[in-house]
Amino acid sequence: MTDVREPTAVAHRETAVAEAAARLTRAADDRRPCAPVRELLGATDIGLAYAVQRRVVGDRIASGARVVGRKIGLTSASVQRQVGVDRPDFGVLLDDMDVSALSAVPGHRLLQPRVEAEIAFVLAADLDDDDLDVERVRSAVGHAVAALEIVDSRVADWDIAITDTIADNASSGLFVLGRQRVGLGEFTPRDVTMRLYADGELVSEGDGAACLGDPLAALLWLARTAREFGDPLRAGQVVLSGALGPLVPTPPGVTVRAELSGLGSVTATFAPEDPEPAEAPGAPEAPKALEVPRPPEKREELEERG
């Protein structure tokens, strides 16, 4: 494990935030996982980790991305055990993270992807009240859909503590939404059963109770937390509830399909690995070798998206 220094060992908190954000951004840009940022933040300073997240997300927004919702992470006990943390967190969903309309999930945007099946809530009202409870949250939900969250970590080997994953936008990657819209009057989120298949083989299963006891309880936790951070949930936003079962790796070329009772299914195919570039013949008169066009990649069409 990496040696951990507590925040008091860092000369200036703002310097720690800037250095951690730069490390994570560089890892994403270079597609090379980095050392844990808890080296800079300490392993327990949640506030400092969220400050890094705001810096990283803010830089992406400044470059043209748009906020479309939030994700709740680490809601399942099985996922907490898989990644070695003991509490939920949240991240920000940006418009360029939604790959629902693509024929294949673009592997070049991911480093160490894993997938989990979730319920996605789409809000029809703001959740900025002083007193938020389950009934208020329920009334704010316009509809729900089956969803796949493709989690990813910029930290090498998924060697993360809670401050690493929070700073890394809750280990967000991409997401895929199903097409079947269902109102809360038509199903009970806690009773949803989930089965996740990879190339037709069952690889994960669970239910709504695995998500903090009830996906609506997870949504309530997020609504309260987001309000406390001064950035409440808004109408039109998508909220990924958190995993209903263990997450699984997604190698290039695999097709994953999640079936959620009452919500239908959602499918995504991961792009195959890019072929090695062809060797170009030399040209004596040219200063550089001639470029040989790369054959187009073969893309599998999605069989179904909900």
Side-chain angles (χ1 to χ4, degrees), residues 133-267:
D133 57 21
V134 171
E135 287 309 312
R136 175 70 188 91
V137 164
R138 173 186 288 275
S139 69
V141 174
H143 64 270
V145 298
L148 294 169
E149 184 188 356
I150 302 151
V151 295
D152 199 9
S153 180
R154 271 51 63 177
V155 176
D157 301 319
W158 280 89
D159 176 16
I160 58 173
I162 190 65
T163 49
D164 294 300
T165 185
I166 289 174
D168 193 20
N169 197 22
S171 301
S172 296
L174 307 171
F175 64 95
V176 180
L177 300 178
R179 293 179 179 173
Q180 183 176 338
R181 299 182 175 188
V182 183
L184 290 184
E186 302 173 65
F187 81 110
T188 301
R190 189 182 187 281
D191 295 340
V192 168
T193 58
M194 178 278 296
R195 289 181 174 82
L196 180 65
Y197 299 87
D199 288 339
E201 179 183 354
L202 180 65
V203 291
S204 178
E205 57 185 329
D207 54 39
C211 181
L212 288 186
D214 186 335
L216 286 175
L219 179 57
L220 174 60
W221 173 85
L222 175 63
R224 288 174 171 170
T225 304
R227 185 196 58 199
E228 290 169 3
F229 273 82
D231 189 14
L233 301 178
R234 299 297 184 187
Q237 291 186 339
V238 175
V239 177
L240 299 181
S241 68
L244 305 188
L247 50 81
V248 297
T250 52
V254 70
T255 294
V256 293
R257 172 186 172 88
E259 297 178 351
L260 279 68
S261 62
L263 290 167
S265 63
V266 56
T267 302

Side-chain angles (χ1 to χ4, degrees), residues 83-105:
V83 299
V85 300
D86 61 357
R87 70 189 79 182
D89 66 355
F90 74 87
V92 179
L93 300 179
L94 302 172
D95 59 341
D96 60 359
M97 295 164 62
D98 183 356
V99 294
S100 305
L102 299 185
S103 61
V105 175

Side-chain angles (χ1 to χ4, degrees), residues 103-108 269-272 274 296-302:
S103 61
V105 175
H108 69 273
T269 296
F270 285 73
D274 291 336
E297 294 178 341
K298 183 178 179 181
R299 304 285 189 182
E300 295 181 15
E301 291 295 325
L302 291 180

Side-chain angles (χ1 to χ4, degrees), residues 56-67 92 94:
V56 172
V57 171
D59 288 345
R60 290 185 62 182
I61 292 171
S63 297
R66 179 174 55 86
V67 175
V92 179
L94 302 172

